[in-house]
Amino acid sequence: MENQETTIKNDPYASLRIPEFNYYLVIRFAMVFALAMQFTIIEWKVNALTHDPFALGLIGLAEVIPAVLVAPFAGHIVDKREKRGLLIACVIAYILMGLGLFLLTWDQAVAGISTQWVLNMIYFLVFLGGVARAFLSPANFSMLALIVPRNLYANGSTWSSSAWQIGGMAGPALGGLFIYLFGIHWSMLIVVGVFLAPLYSLIKIKPKPIHYKAQGERFFDGLTKGMRFVWKTKVVLNAMALDMFAVLFGGAVSMLPIFATDVLHVGSLEFGFLRAAVAVGSLTTMFILAYRPLVNQPGLKLLAAVFGFGLCIIVFGLSTSFVLSFLALLVSGVLDGISVIIRQTILQLKTPDDMRGRVAAVSSMFVGSSNELGAFESGLAARLMGLVPSVVFGGCVTLGVVITTYIISPAMRKLDLKP
């Protein structure tokens, strides 16, 4: 029996032999593919309407506000409810949001309507998408542990993150290509069609049991339990904080439309490739890690990866060459892939089953939302400091965060990911 378990743990395809896990991967891929493509199209449209980095930053702010405010309630609800049904509701919400964006990006449909009104409605729909994401992230995280056995959490997290990165790679690249081929509004309609794939996959997965145990628990206690768990579990707290600050201040990707047009002087097609470069690098790393898991000194490797990520952001900010900018983003993705795998494995192994929704909600607040908050920070910093100085400054702050974490966190330096 022990030899059989060892063989399973060493099998890089172990999770893929579980039929429902393959449907789960389709959900992971299709959702991030559609959302990444949708955000790429929105960014290009808003930049075309305003040519203002702050307006691009407001896209991130519009999503991060509900994602942060609703997340504690969403995590509590996710732990108490059946996960598949919640995910179906989230997908339907995104379909309706996509249809609204399709109309708003159709020139004939908004003829005679002011540009500011169109912008406000785009921000409003992105805001509603943030509400849906507050439920999507913890429900998705919880679903993985209900499909994959505990001894395969690291393997399942690797393939799950790989599917996420493939979607993150293909979404922006095809978003830029579709804008070039079909225009903005028809590209948005394609996004709506992509959302049908996760909806079908969810129907093929059976409803899952609810592990919530604290019957009669006071609402406020249940609401804050995830935060208290993260605060007490230092390695989880440190991993979240490290990733949050790195993404918050190293979020150069949100400024890519302006870098593409004003610094690198390229069009929508090249913009799509730049937008996908990070995901291409991350995907490469994740395929390698499926065969060679991070076992020895994962904490130090995490710190080194985030430090290298900060250096790549600095190089990107200073570059005026499309090739160098693409390579800087590509390498940053390679290093980001290491960070994602280690952080996801930490969360899966350290989180109790009955608290997965709430802990994932905390992660969504402080890590997932840092992408959008970082987009706002980048837009504000670009307006105050200038585009290039703001990106270089963000990369330097990321380096400082890594050095500080190394000094104050012995738990991170001694991290062990053995289940």
Side-chain angles (χ1 to χ4, degrees), residues 134-191:
F135 290 89
L136 177 70
S137 296
N140 213 348
F141 177 81
S142 301
M143 180 70 83
L144 174 62
L146 295 172
I147 294 175
V148 175
R150 183 177 180 82
N151 65 315
L152 295 180
Y153 281 175
N155 182 260
S157 294
T158 300
W159 285 111
S160 173
S161 297
S162 297
W164 187 84
Q165 292 292 353
I166 293 173
M169 171 188 67
L174 289 181
L177 178 62
F178 290 159
I179 292 171
Y180 177 78
L181 294 176
F182 308 119
I184 292 175
H185 65 286
W186 293 118
S187 299
M188 195 65 74
L189 188 61
I190 294 174
V191 171

Side-chain angles (χ1 to χ4, degrees), residues 17-347:
R17 305 186 196 285
I18 303 172
E20 284 194 337
F21 183 70
N22 292 296
Y23 285 115
Y24 175 82
L25 291 184
V26 172
I27 298 166
R28 285 283 280 168
F29 165 78
M31 288 302 297
V32 73
F33 174 79
L35 292 174
M37 185 190 299
Q38 187 178 75
F39 253 77
T40 300
I41 298 168
I42 292 172
E43 288 172 346
W44 194 258
K45 178 66 175 179
V46 170
N47 187 53
L49 291 173
T50 67
H51 300 286
D52 183 359
F54 188 68
L56 290 175
L58 287 177
I59 300 173
L61 186 64
E63 187 177 30
V64 77
I65 289 175
V68 170
L69 295 180
V70 178
F73 302 93
H76 189 61
I77 292 171
V78 166
D79 278 336
K80 298 177 68 174
R81 299 288 186 270
E82 197 276 314
K83 312 303 182 283
R84 189 194 69 156
L86 284 172
L87 285 171
I88 289 175
C90 290
V91 174
I92 292 174
Y94 276 119
I95 289 174
L96 296 176
M97 171 188 164
L99 289 172
L101 288 169
F102 166 68
L103 293 175
L104 287 172
T105 54
W106 193 356
D107 291 339
Q108 287 84 348
V110 296
I113 299 175
S114 70
T115 298
Q116 189 59 52
W117 188 91
V118 172
L119 278 173
N120 290 340
M121 289 304 299
I122 290 175
Y123 292 142
F124 175 70
L125 288 178
V126 172
F127 180 92
L128 295 181
V131 175
R133 201 191 78 181
F135 290 89
L136 177 70
S137 296
N140 213 348
F141 177 81
S142 301
M143 180 70 83
L144 174 62
L146 295 172
I147 294 175
V148 175
R150 183 177 180 82
N151 65 315
L152 295 180
Y153 281 175
N155 182 260
S157 294
T158 300
W159 285 111
S160 173
S161 297
S162 297
W164 187 84
Q165 292 292 353
I166 293 173
M169 171 188 67
L174 289 181
L177 178 62
F178 290 159
I179 292 171
Y180 177 78
L181 294 176
F182 308 119
I184 292 175
H185 65 286
W186 293 118
S187 299
M188 195 65 74
L189 188 61
I190 294 174
V191 171
V192 176
V194 175
F195 280 124
L196 298 178
L199 193 61
Y200 172 80
S201 298
L202 283 165
I203 294 172
K204 302 294 289 185
I205 294 177
K206 296 179 181 179
K208 299 302 174 187
I210 301 171
H211 290 294
Y212 190 78
K213 300 175 182 178
Q215 301 300 327
E217 181 180 51
R218 290 187 302 174
F219 177 76
F220 182 77
D221 289 340
L223 200 65
T224 60
K225 194 172 182 179
M227 294 183 183
R228 285 184 275 122
F229 171 82
V230 170
W231 180 256
K232 292 178 181 178
T233 312
K234 296 305 180 185
V235 68
V236 173
L237 177 65
N238 292 332
M240 285 188 182
L242 181 66
D243 201 39
M244 178 186 73
F245 285 109
V247 174
L248 177 63
F249 291 102
V253 173
S254 60
M255 295 295 105
L256 276 180
I258 299 178
F259 266 97
T261 56
D262 296 354
V263 177
L264 303 177
H265 306 292
V266 296
S268 62
L269 185 61
E270 291 85 355
F271 162 67
F273 285 111
L274 287 171
R275 194 71 167 74
V278 175
V280 172
S282 295
L283 178 62
T284 303
T285 298
M286 289 173 185
F287 275 127
I288 294 173
L289 295 184
Y291 290 89
R292 299 179 63 86
L294 291 169
V295 178
N296 299 321
Q297 298 181 312
L300 292 176
K301 291 176 181 176
L302 173 60
L303 292 167
V306 179
F307 190 87
F309 175 84
L311 291 176
C312 289
I313 295 304
I314 294 172
V315 172
F316 171 79
L318 296 174
S319 170
T320 57
S321 163
F322 171 78
V323 174
L324 180 59
S325 297
F326 179 85
L327 290 176
L329 292 175
L330 183 72
V331 176
S332 77
V334 170
L335 299 169
D336 184 57
I338 296 173
S339 172
V340 169
I341 291 295
I342 295 176
R343 180 169 52 82
Q344 287 297 317
T345 304
I346 290 171
L347 288 177

Side-chain angles (χ1 to χ4, degrees), residues 349-381:
L349 289 175
K350 302 294 184 181
T351 305
D353 288 336
D354 63 323
M355 292 176 56
R356 292 187 180 278
R358 282 165 287 184
V359 172
V362 175
S363 177
S364 177
M365 290 171 61
F366 294 105
V367 178
S369 297
S370 60
N371 287 286
E372 288 70 34
L373 192 58
F376 175 71
E377 181 274 333
S378 296
L380 181 60

